[in-house]
Amino acid sequence: MDRLDAFKTIAAQASRGELSFPANVNASLRLQQALSDPDCHVEAAAKLIQADPLLAARSVAIANSVAYNRSGTEISSVRAAVQRLGVRTLQSLVAALIVRQIGSQVTDPGLQAKINQLWEHTAHVAALSQVIARRVTHVDPDTALFAGIMHEVAGFYMLSCAGDFPEVMDGEPEDWVEHGEVEIGRGVLSKLGVPDGVYKAIESMWVGLRALPPETLGDTLLLANDLSPVHSPLYQRPGATTLLGARTIDFVVGEGTLHAIMSESANEVQSLYAVLML
């Protein structure tokens, strides 16, 4: 089997919903579904989060981050964190846990290195997306954070399959963009129940055309992707902005500029990134 056949096989399985997830992913998906229930309020959400020590610690940490702690008042309880963050931010934290769990059983050092770099990239894009949404594009920041966390989930799943399909790591990086990312991505995003608006924004990333100044959720993700100091290890799109080139991206936003806004927001971005890397 060559690389393209491996992509087609994985994509076909994904399109049928036949995805092989570690057991802890399925448990996290159940938690995500519970948090998505309209009747899930603060008390219920706090109990769900407290049942997972890692999520409990991350919830308190992100609630105390610069992005969410406007008053400078630190909190130490999960209940207070849930009150400050809201259920939608908690869903993003669970999504981050799910994405990281997908590649958690990979043991090959080379694949582990790619998964670690892909998560660093994802965490940067998610943190940047939240701030860009709030300060620049004025789309919903919680949705942007969630979309940033999910935007490379197809890559995590592909890397998790590399033990059974080693061919996926052969060939040219462009093969992933042209033959793997879209088809595998659609199956994985559908299986994870990603909302339609986020799904379409991630699809727009696969096309790779963004407007300046950015306006949509897809534009938000693409700009965050360009500004990320860590690139995806899977590919570099033809014509994609280099790290050096990203520093030159600027445009007027209201009475300011993108550079000024991102400089002012650097602590917020770093604090969100740090929590996602825990």
Side-chain angles (χ1 to χ4, degrees):
M1 182 182 294
D2 64 18
R3 191 183 200 204
L4 300 188
D5 287 336
F7 283 150
K8 289 177 183 177
T9 301
I10 297 170
Q13 292 173 345
S15 69
R16 295 192 298 267
E18 299 171 1
L19 292 102
S20 178
F21 288 142
N24 53 0
V25 170
N26 293 318
S28 297
L29 282 171
R30 289 192 293 272
L31 173 57
Q32 185 79 293
Q33 290 169 350
L35 289 172
S36 299
D37 188 331
D39 294 326
C40 183
H41 300 301
V42 170
E43 294 296 339
K47 288 180 180 178
L48 290 168
I49 297 298
Q50 283 173 331
D52 187 311
L54 182 58
L55 271 178
R58 284 179 179 162
S59 299
V60 173
I62 201 169
N64 285 321
S65 70
V66 176
Y68 288 92
N69 185 12
R70 305 286 179 195
S71 66
T73 304
E74 288 206 351
I75 58 176
S76 57
S77 73
V78 172
R79 187 180 185 283
V82 171
Q83 286 181 312
R84 179 176 288 177
L85 297 174
V87 172
R88 292 183 64 202
T89 301
L90 295 176
Q91 289 173 323
S92 290
L93 288 179
V94 176
L97 184 63
I98 290 169
V99 172
R100 296 184 80 174
Q101 286 171 337
I102 288 174
S104 62
Q105 295 184 342
V106 171
T107 57
D108 178 83
L111 291 175
Q112 281 183 330
K114 287 186 181 296
I115 286 172
N116 290 340
Q117 182 179 337
L118 191 58
W119 181 250
E120 284 188 56
H121 167 74
T122 296
H124 277 295
V125 171
L128 285 161
S129 294
Q130 199 265 11
V131 171
I132 291 169
R134 187 166 48 79
R135 298 290 306 274
V136 180
T137 56
H138 305 296
V139 298
D140 182 67
D142 288 328
T143 302
L145 177 66
F146 178 79
I149 288 168
M150 300 302 297
H151 85 283
E152 287 281 11
V153 70
F156 285 97
Y157 188 73
M158 185 271 287
L159 291 170
S160 77
C161 293
D164 295 327
F165 297 93
E167 301 87 356
V168 298
M169 302 312 298
D170 299 332
E172 299 300 320
E174 291 78 10
D175 293 341
W176 168 239
V177 178
E178 294 178 14
H179 305 286
E181 181 178 43
V182 175
E183 295 305 320
I184 294 173
R186 286 173 177 157
V188 177
L189 291 171
S190 295
K191 181 69 173 181
L192 295 179
V194 171
D196 188 56
V198 173
Y199 187 114
K200 288 179 178 176
I202 294 173
E203 278 194 320
S204 73
M205 288 198 76
W206 298 334
V207 176
L209 298 175
R210 62 161 161 73
L212 282 181
E215 298 176 349
T216 66
L217 179 59
D219 292 339
T220 301
L221 290 176
L222 283 161
L223 180 58
N225 189 70
D226 278 349
L227 294 177
S228 172
V230 177
H231 278 318
S232 164
L234 297 180
Y235 61 89
Q236 179 67 31
R237 292 182 185 280
T241 305
T242 64
L243 292 180
L244 180 61
R247 299 191 185 101
T248 69
I249 298 174
D250 202 11
F251 47 83
V252 174
V253 182
E255 297 181 358
T257 65
L258 177 68
H259 278 173
I261 288 171
M262 298 315 296
S263 295
E264 292 168 8
S265 306
N267 288 341
E268 294 180 35
V269 173
Q270 182 56 38
S271 67
L272 280 172
Y273 168 77
V275 171
L276 291 172
M277 289 300 294
L278 286 176

